[in-house]
Amino acid sequence: METVHSRDGTPIAFERTGSGPALVCVGGALNDRGSAAALAGLLAGRHTVLTYDRRGRGGSGDTPPYAVDREIEDLAAVIGAAGGSAAVYGMSSGAVLALRAAAAGLPVTRLALYEPPFHAGHDDRLIRSRAYNTELTGLLADGRRGDALALFMGSVGMPPEMVAQARGAPMWPALEALAPTLAYDSAVMDDAEGGAMPEALIRRVTVPALVVAGGDSPAWMRDTARRVAALLPAGAERVLDGQTHDVAPEALAPVLADFLA
C-alpha cells in the first residue's frame, strides 16, 4: 500500500500493480481498493493499474466536511502519483465520479465507465432519489449504519429476505464500516436534487470514452449506458453478453484492454 495526500491533507491509500501506461480504477458504493484487485491483475501485463480507497474507506482518511469536489481532488492526487495523467475506469457510482472529474478538467487520457446508474429524470425517479437521500442521511446521523445499509440494498433491488440474510453474514461488520460513505455516493449521484442524468456535464467530457453495460442487466441500465455514450462527444458503447452489474473481471478486462490500447 502507498499513500498520497489530497489537496485538503486527507491521506488516500492506493496500490500499484503491473507496468505500462497508467490506469486508475474508481470503485462504486461499498467498494474499496480490493474490489478491483482481480481486474487490476488481469490488466497488469499492459498497464500500471492503481486501485485506491476513496475517502472514508480502508486505509484512506476522511476529513470533514464532505464534498464531491474533495473526492475529485482525491482522484487528482492519485493521478498525480500515477505520473501526472492517466486513463480512468469507473464502476457504477464510481463511474459518475470519474465523469465529474473528467468534466472538471483532470488530466484523464481515456475514460471507461461501467453502468453509471443515472436515470432519465421522470417524476417518480426524482421523488425516489430525493426520498432515499433524506432517509439515508437521517439514518446515518442517528448512527444506524445497519439500517442505512439495508436501505441502500433495498434501493438497488435486493429483496427483503436477502437483506435479512446479509445482516447475519460474516461480511456485514465490514460493510457497516463503509456505511457512512453511502452518503458520499448519494452526493456523487446528486440524489438530493433528484439524481437525473447531467447531460450538459456529460457533453463537456471530450476525451475518448467507452460506456459498458451488461447484457443481463436491467433494461434501464443498458438504456442509460447507451444514452451516456451518445452524449459523450467521443463516446462509444459496448454490451457484454451474459453480464450483470456485478461484472466478471474476466469478461471486462479484454474490453478495457482493447479500448486502452
Side-chain angles (χ1 to χ4, degrees):
M1 188 184 80
E2 301 178 59
T3 302
V4 67
H5 285 82
S6 191
R7 184 176 181 178
D8 69 351
T10 302
I12 303 297
F14 69 95
E15 293 184 4
R16 197 186 310 250
T17 305
S19 61
L23 169 67
V24 177
C25 297
V26 185
L30 303 179
N31 285 182
D32 59 17
R33 70 182 186 276
S35 302
L39 179 65
L42 292 170
L43 295 170
R46 299 187 185 184
H47 295 275
T48 299
V49 186
L50 285 79
T51 58
Y52 74 103
D53 289 328
R54 289 171 54 190
R55 63 174 52 208
R57 313 179 192 208
S60 291
D62 192 11
T63 306
Y66 176 82
V68 176
D69 285 348
R70 301 295 81 74
E71 284 229 67
I72 292 173
E73 292 166 0
D74 298 346
L75 179 52
V78 176
I79 292 174
S85 64
V88 173
Y89 162 68
M91 166 66 185
S92 191
S93 55
V96 178
L97 177 58
L99 259 174
R100 295 191 185 282
L106 266 61
V108 175
T109 57
R110 284 179 170 258
L111 185 65
L113 311 171
Y114 192 85
E115 294 191 343
F118 293 122
H119 62 79
H122 300 304
D123 287 347
D124 62 329
R125 291 297 304 270
L126 294 169
I127 292 168
R128 285 161 51 193
S129 293
R130 292 172 184 143
Y132 167 76
N133 178 266
T134 298
E135 186 172 359
L136 176 70
T137 53
L139 290 171
L140 291 172
D142 291 341
R144 296 167 59 187
R145 293 186 175 190
D147 291 338
L149 273 175
L151 174 69
F152 168 74
M153 291 175 174
S155 75
V156 297
M158 184 177 287
E161 61 272 16
M162 290 186 67
V163 175
Q165 290 173 4
R167 282 183 179 269
M171 67 177 180
W172 190 258
L175 293 176
E176 280 199 351
L178 294 172
T181 65
L182 291 172
Y184 303 172
D185 285 286
S186 186
V188 167
M189 295 304 306
D190 201 21
D191 285 331
E193 298 300 323
M197 185 181 298
E199 295 187 4
L201 180 142
I202 294 169
R203 289 192 180 99
R204 294 205 304 268
V205 178
T206 58
V207 298
L210 176 68
V211 188
V212 186
D216 286 352
S217 289
W220 72 266
M221 280 193 164
R222 299 195 304 275
D223 291 343
T224 296
R226 186 178 307 113
R227 189 173 173 196
V228 171
L231 288 168
L232 288 161
E237 179 205 7
R238 179 73 181 270
V239 176
L240 299 184
D241 291 341
Q243 296 300 307
T244 65
H245 198 61
D246 186 21
V247 62
E250 296 80 6
L252 180 61
V255 174
L256 292 183
D258 287 347
F259 171 66
L260 298 170

